[in-house]
Amino acid sequence: MNIRYRVDLTVDERDELRRLLSAGKCSARKLKRAQVLLAADGGASDAGIEKTVGASGSTIYRTKRRFVEVSLEAALSEEPRRGASRKLSGKEEALLVATACASPPAGRARWTLELLADEFVKLTEHESLSRETVRRRLAENDLKPWRKDMWCIPQVDAEYVARMEDVLDLYAEAPDPKRPVVCFDESPTQLIGEVREPIPAKPGQLERFDCEYRRNGTANLFVFLDAHRPWRKVKVTPRRAAGDFAHCMRELSDVHFPEAEKIRVVLDNLSTHSPSALYQTFPAPEARRILRRIEFHYTPRHASWLNMVEIEIGVLRSQCLDRRIDSRFLLQKEIKAWERQRNQTRARIKWMFTVEKARAKMGRAYPAPLNES
């Protein structure tokens, strides 16, 4: 490394490197080489570039050498590396991809790297194929045959659109204490206890806990969220039957919003979420009294994301429930503390999706109106 290479960029080359850095859409190595060239063009020494850019001395030397001896494009790209040639030809890689996308052998739920390697040996003249070769070729094609994603496409018909726009209109209303909008949903959770006492964290050592645990049953969380003010309420129950839902609606009416004229409740299509649940639980006059003060607004089927409380449940799970809690008493205590803190800090869900945005983004999916005769 006794040769000293001098970098003198043209105006066009300098502009090209700056555009490359501002876009930031290429590999980190390429960006670092661009920074090296710009710094060298500005008169910085190798030691200065190594300190400011964070590149090694060998990287700085090779980048400057390839720029001077070859071109700017060569300086930014990877040099050919020594090593064995690719074991699979283009046709063989295509065969491997097709095999990975096909059904696995009888008796197996999914392909593994070992299964693919064995199958490929049977289909070709290769005597052997390592799992690492299979993994690399699949990774290049963004394939992971051992993984599956579950998906559900809702039918966007007139009923879907009507329910969606009804809920979005509620969210867009100005706050009205006499007619509050409350999002409601439930979420089951497991009660998990420790078999052995965890070892607390200390300097130089993470907290440690045993992989074995004790399952102490389940509990259900009924979650209320005011769409227009920073208020939420979580009720812990042993189950989520129709009677539990009915008692939640009575508490909403008589305890949480006693002064409201009409409480608009946004909820999903669970079978227990119906006016009949109140008649199953209370005498008819009591059920009628509660229902006169409550108005149900249902989200479309397979569109629970339109219920704002789903976001709040996600926050609850990440902030409070992402650990082992072994009893309903402790669960209630911890959730109450979380709920108090969220309400005191006036935390809100910032809802951005509106009817106008729905029509703009989902306009093609909207049902076409019938032509008037």
Side-chain angles (χ1 to χ4, degrees), residues 63-129:
T63 302
K64 293 166 67 175
R65 175 176 59 81
R66 285 172 63 79
F67 172 76
V68 173
E69 294 181 352
V70 188
S71 64
L72 174 62
E73 183 180 354
L76 293 175
S77 60
E78 293 276 357
E79 291 186 77
R81 300 190 179 188
R82 298 177 182 177
S85 59
R86 294 170 75 93
K87 189 169 185 177
L88 304 183
S89 65
K91 288 185 178 180
E92 289 173 336
E93 287 188 20
L95 176 60
L96 177 63
V97 170
T99 305
C101 293
S103 300
R108 301 300 292 264
R110 60 188 61 84
W111 287 106
T112 64
L113 296 178
E114 291 80 3
L115 279 176
L116 283 169
D118 293 341
E119 184 69 17
F120 196 78
V121 169
K122 296 177 184 177
L123 297 174
T124 64
E125 296 180 355
H126 288 278
E127 295 183 359
S128 65
L129 189 68

Side-chain angles (χ1 to χ4, degrees), residues 64-318:
K64 293 166 67 175
R65 175 176 59 81
R66 285 172 63 79
F67 172 76
V68 173
E69 294 181 352
V70 188
S71 64
L72 174 62
E73 183 180 354
L76 293 175
S77 60
E78 293 276 357
E79 291 186 77
R81 300 190 179 188
R82 298 177 182 177
S85 59
R86 294 170 75 93
K87 189 169 185 177
L88 304 183
S89 65
K91 288 185 178 180
E92 289 173 336
E93 287 188 20
L95 176 60
L96 177 63
V97 170
T99 305
C101 293
S103 300
R108 301 300 292 264
R110 60 188 61 84
W111 287 106
T112 64
L113 296 178
E114 291 80 3
L115 279 176
L116 283 169
D118 293 341
E119 184 69 17
F120 196 78
V121 169
K122 296 177 184 177
L123 297 174
T124 64
E125 296 180 355
H126 288 278
E127 295 183 359
S128 65
L129 189 68
S130 69
R131 69 187 304 276
E132 182 61 16
T133 298
V134 174
R135 185 194 67 79
R136 289 180 178 177
R137 300 295 83 81
L138 293 180
E140 290 175 359
N141 291 275
D142 197 22
L143 270 177
K144 296 179 180 179
W146 51 89
R147 293 186 59 182
K148 292 183 179 181
D149 282 338
M150 182 178 292
W151 55 287
C152 177
I153 300 178
Q155 181 181 358
V156 183
D157 53 14
E159 181 182 3
Y160 184 102
V161 171
R163 289 189 177 189
M164 176 180 67
E165 294 202 351
D166 174 52
V167 171
L168 295 179
D169 277 340
L170 289 179
Y171 293 164
E173 287 183 6
D176 184 357
K178 293 296 183 181
R179 294 172 58 80
V181 176
V182 178
C183 300
F184 173 85
D185 202 4
E186 65 267 344
S187 179
T189 188
Q190 294 194 60
L191 302 175
I192 301 296
E194 303 285 357
V195 175
R196 298 172 183 84
E197 193 69 22
I199 301 174
K202 62 181 180 180
Q205 178 178 292
L206 298 174
E207 178 186 8
R208 292 184 289 177
F209 59 94
D210 197 285
C211 61
E212 187 179 357
Y213 60 86
R214 182 184 295 109
R215 189 172 181 270
N216 296 331
T218 62
N220 183 69
L221 311 177
F222 285 109
V223 186
F224 306 86
L225 177 73
D226 194 314
H228 293 135
R229 67 186 181 100
W231 175 86
R232 72 272 301 138
K233 179 68 179 177
V234 183
K235 181 181 180 181
V236 181
T237 63
R239 60 191 183 281
R240 58 172 187 176
D244 300 296
F245 171 76
H247 283 284
C248 283
M249 293 301 104
R250 182 162 70 174
E251 290 179 17
L252 189 65
S253 170
D254 298 350
V255 178
H256 303 309
F257 294 91
E259 304 299 327
E261 295 174 358
K262 183 73 72 174
I263 306 167
R264 278 85 60 80
V265 181
V266 177
L267 67 174
D268 61 22
N269 298 272
L270 195 66
S271 59
T272 56
H273 294 174
S274 66
S276 62
L278 282 83
Y279 281 93
Q280 296 173 23
T281 307
F282 306 121
E286 175 69 358
R288 188 70 251 160
R289 179 190 70 82
I290 298 170
L291 289 172
R292 284 197 185 101
R293 301 192 59 241
I294 291 179
E295 183 178 279
F296 293 137
H297 293 259
Y298 294 99
T299 59
R301 292 188 180 277
H302 306 303
S304 58
W305 59 272
L306 283 166
N307 195 340
M308 197 182 295
V309 77
E310 292 282 347
I311 302 174
E312 191 69 16
I313 291 175
V315 175
L316 169 62
R317 292 206 167 276
S318 63

